[in-house]
Amino acid sequence: MMGLMQDRPLLISGLLDYAERYHGDAEIVSRTCEGTVLRGNYRMLADRARRMAQALQRLGVKAGDRVATLAWNTHRHMELYFAVSGLGAVLHTVNPRLFQDQIAYIVDHGGCNVLLFDISFADLVAGLRPRLPQVTTFVAMTDADHMPASVEGALCYDALVAAEDGRFAWPQFDERSASSLCYTSGTTGNPKGVLYTHRSTVLHSFVVCQADGLQLSSKDSTLLVVPLFHVNAWGVPYASAMCGAKLVLPGPAPDPKTLFDLAVAEGCTFSLGVPTVWLGWFKYLDETAGLDLAALKLNRVVIGGSAAPRYVIERFQKQGVFVIHAWGMSETSPLATVGNLLPRHAGLSPTEQVDVQVKQGRAIFGVELRIVDDQGNELPHDGTVAGDLQVRGPWVTAGYFRSEGGAVVGPDGWFSTGDVAKVFPDGFLQLTDRSKDVIKSGGEWISSIDLENAAMAHPAVQEAAVIGVAHPKWQERPLLLVVRKPGTDPRPEDILAALAERVAKWWLPDEVVFVEELPHTATGKLQKVKLREQFRNHVLPGA
Ligand code: ADP
């Protein structure tokens, strides 16, 4: 027998309607590409999003069409989040930090006719234009006074908004309709398009606002460091509308000083970003005299995208900020596991709490996970055995946009993440590697992430990467690459001695090489493919 409750669709426009009606005055502060700081709120966002939806319709955008953006975290980009999806079209957020070839590939593969861009990317767009044959309409996300000359025929965003009256009712449609499209950052091959739905987005928002999720609420002022072009800024734009949280958008290329100043000025309580952001943040704090740390109101910081270094968790802990270590990927919207402490952790010492926080947290309701061996047999959650991590759930992808590769999930819905992990009996997940990065030494696996974390615990190590290098006897052995903290001069043996206290002897890297910097992807991940190429012919001592 079917139940008798209403089957109202979960739509992104519903989030905006709600925010306008119940949190209309909650602020949205935007550092703009024109160099100003604009103070708006959800009422203004809703009005301008409706006008933009009217303008897009007038430009010929229809339900299902992809609309591309190359833009920072600003109020205009937020407006597009709601205008495009609210209309039933698909917001295709392109990462401007990618290589030009990848940007051209992604925009073209997405099949977009309209591209909206920040003025900081005008030259990039002008250069790419000949390679974007499908794009017929270019819109500069700025006002009439700042229109870039380099993109000929581009329309002005603010003029489009001003020409409409905002009298627009959001259409109602199937909640399973596509809402946005993000391409994976391509650390493991060509970028692939993940196509979210209104339903997956709204369900994911509930998790962001959940007390055992990211705890977002109307009490928060969020410093949105994670870019709107990186997995929908981890779902925070939608979740903020759901709960009326204040949003602080740091605009073009925010550096640690900009972030710090905004956090203080706007009383930010909550922030999110990849580890490299926070490494830069603490470097700035250490190198800058006279900062008023007491003026910071942060109480939670979400770290994901790569393993949160212990050092960063500890530094935040000392300032009274709780690090929520989360794991996920473009394919999981991205939240899949969240590292909140449980009641039984309350009595732990600060160090013991960090021991829990360095793990990637536990699955949230809605995401099922398991680990399997090479034959697909399920492995125990005993905290010892590592296996390939698989997930399934209503905000996990069922396939890639326009992919030639066929099904990416098994018949029972499990999606193979490409990550290798252990699961502890209490459900905490510990990522040990990506399957392509794991070091296979004499038939056993060595976790590059564990070694990197152990190396980063050394006070002279700014950043560390571990890769496997070919070895005649062991097949592969670990090589540790280290960026030293400015003003320090550790010897390789000092670092190895510190590692020896934390990992098994046979895990110890065969060599430590100091480098000036490590290559990162556009989303801040270590580019191990590049490192492996660079050190392909490296001969380890004794090999
Ligand atoms: P891509 O898969 O193209 O690199 P994503 O941004 O979707 O792009 O990255 C997802 C991957 O990032 C995960 O599969 C995992 O390897 C890594 N990752 C995400 N969060 C964490 C974390 N907390 N700890 C370690 N690795 C993480």
Side-chain angles (χ1 to χ4, degrees):
M1 180 165 56
M2 303 301 284
L4 282 172
M5 303 311 280
Q6 299 185 7
D7 194 10
R8 304 281 302 158
L10 300 170
L11 297 180
I12 287 171
S13 54
L15 297 171
L16 187 62
D17 282 343
Y18 177 81
E20 181 182 29
R21 173 132 171 60
Y22 292 99
H23 298 282
D25 292 331
E27 280 188 297
I28 298 177
V29 179
S30 169
R31 180 174 160 261
T32 69
C33 295
E34 295 83 28
T36 56
V37 173
L38 184 97
R39 307 198 78 82
N41 55 31
Y42 283 98
R43 194 172 305 110
M44 190 168 138
L45 170 71
D47 176 51
R48 285 177 52 101
R50 278 192 296 265
R51 290 163 182 259
M52 197 59 212
Q54 291 174 303
L56 289 168
Q57 259 187 344
R58 212 177 287 282
L59 291 171
V61 173
K62 299 179 300 302
D65 288 354
R66 275 80 59 208
V67 174
T69 57
L70 270 172
W72 299 108
N73 291 10
T74 68
H75 64 293
R76 294 189 185 94
H77 207 177
M78 269 294 284
E79 288 156 17
L80 289 167
Y81 257 63
F82 292 95
V84 175
S85 306
L87 204 54
V90 181
L91 184 74
H92 177 14
T93 52
V94 184
N95 184 340
R97 292 195 183 124
L98 293 172
F99 299 116
Q100 293 206 9
D101 285 351
Q102 283 183 319
I103 297 178
Y105 169 84
I106 288 174
V107 175
D108 203 53
H109 192 264
C112 303
N113 303 133
V114 180
L115 170 65
L116 299 103
F117 60 94
D118 271 342
I119 47 176
S120 9
F121 303 123
D123 290 344
L124 173 70
V125 171
L128 282 174
R129 195 169 187 168
R131 296 160 70 188
L132 306 175
Q134 301 185 72
V135 179
T136 47
T137 305
F138 292 85
V139 179
M141 294 165 66
T142 188
D143 54 28
D145 294 340
H146 295 87
M147 282 299 285
S150 52
V151 185
E152 219 176 290
L155 304 173
C156 170
Y157 185 99
D158 279 7
L160 290 175
V161 169
E164 304 295 340
D165 62 11
R167 281 199 283 272
F168 180 79
W170 297 111
Q172 298 291 300
F173 43 78
D174 191 322
E175 65 183 18
R176 292 165 301 175
S177 306
S179 55
S180 66
L181 176 65
C182 293
Y183 279 68
T184 61
S185 50
T187 34
T188 53
N190 238 348
K192 297 184 281 284
V194 182
L195 192 59
Y196 307 93
T197 65
H198 285 258
R199 175 183 155 81
S200 70
T201 304
V202 174
L203 290 177
H204 184 269
S205 305
F206 281 113
V207 174
V208 176
C209 298
Q210 199 179 305
D212 283 324
L214 302 189
Q215 310 161 27
L216 189 68
S217 80
S218 56
K219 295 189 193 77
D220 279 311
S221 165
T222 302
L223 180 64
L224 195 68
V225 182
V226 58
L228 289 170
F229 54 75
H230 187 202
V231 205
N232 297 322
W234 301 355
V236 170
Y238 311 111
S240 300
M242 179 177 268
C243 68
K246 171 175 170 178
L247 256 184
V248 181
L249 304 167
D255 54 14
K257 179 181 181 340
T258 302
L259 294 177
F260 182 85
D261 293 349
L262 274 174
V264 171
E266 301 302 333
C268 293
T269 53
F270 180 60
S271 191
L272 317 85
V274 295
T276 39
V277 167
W278 305 115
L279 289 169
W281 167 274
F282 284 114
K283 189 160 177 272
Y284 170 73
L285 261 50
D286 291 343
E287 289 171 0
T288 316
L291 290 177
D292 182 11
L293 293 184
L296 278 175
K297 299 280 176 289
L298 280 176
N299 58 53
R300 289 151 16 255
V301 165
V302 180
I303 304 184
S306 300
R310 189 179 182 98
Y311 157 81
V312 172
I313 300 175
E314 283 170 348
R315 287 290 304 260
F316 272 124
Q317 188 187 56
K318 285 195 189 108
Q319 292 175 0
V321 180
F322 183 74
V323 168
I324 304 178
H325 190 182
W327 168 81
M329 52 200 313
S330 308
E331 290 89 334
T332 65
S333 292
L335 283 184
T337 65
V338 175
N340 282 306
L341 296 180
L342 298 168
R344 67 181 165 78
H345 297 129
L348 296 180
S349 69
T351 307
E352 289 166 332
Q353 290 196 346
V354 176
D355 291 341
V356 179
Q357 286 173 275
V358 290
K359 292 179 189 154
Q360 275 79 4
R362 309 194 322 148
I364 41 185
F365 170 75
V367 174
E368 293 173 78
L369 62 79
R370 67 177 191 181
I371 47 174
V372 297
D373 66 14
D374 287 347
Q375 281 76 46
N377 303 311
E378 241 184 287
L379 294 169
H381 293 187
D382 60 6
T384 312
V385 191
D388 290 317
L389 179 61
Q390 299 187 327
V391 290
R392 65 180 180 191
W395 52 89
V396 175
T397 193
Y400 292 108
F401 183 57
R402 288 186 167 163
S403 98
E404 293 91 46
V408 301
V409 295
D412 42 9
W414 290 104
F415 168 76
S416 291
T417 63
D419 285 328
V420 181
K422 294 176 198 169
V423 187
F424 287 78
D426 59 3
F428 274 87
L429 179 79
Q430 186 171 10
L431 246 70
T432 58
D433 244 310
R434 288 197 116 178
S435 34
K436 293 208 165 86
D437 295 339
V438 83
I439 299 158
K440 294 186 179 118
S441 172
E444 299 280 352
W445 285 6
I446 296 178
S447 157
S448 65
I449 296 186
D450 280 359
L451 283 176
E452 283 154 13
N453 285 340
M456 302 264 285
H458 190 283
V461 176
Q462 169 76 23
E463 209 184 358
V466 176
I467 53 166
V469 172
H471 191 283
K473 179 164 176 206
W474 300 109
Q475 177 192 4
E476 265 185 354
R477 287 294 303 159
L479 167 69
L480 169 61
L481 305 164
V482 167
V483 180
R484 281 167 287 205
K485 283 223 178 94
T488 65
D489 191 17
R491 295 170 309 162
E493 48 272 35
D494 300 335
I495 291 173
L496 288 175
L499 278 181
E501 288 170 21
R502 294 170 183 262
V503 302
K505 196 156 174 261
W506 64 276
W507 274 36
L508 282 181
D510 287 26
E511 191 179 359
V512 180
V513 172
F514 294 110
V515 291
E516 287 310 310
E517 57 178 0
L518 290 166
H520 291 100
T521 67
T523 51
K525 290 186 214 307
L526 282 171
Q527 239 175 349
K528 294 210 180 158
V529 179
K530 209 167 192 177
L531 287 174
R532 276 194 291 267
E533 250 164 48
Q534 198 181 330
F535 288 91
R536 187 175 332 159
N537 298 320
H538 186 80
V539 180
L540 293 166

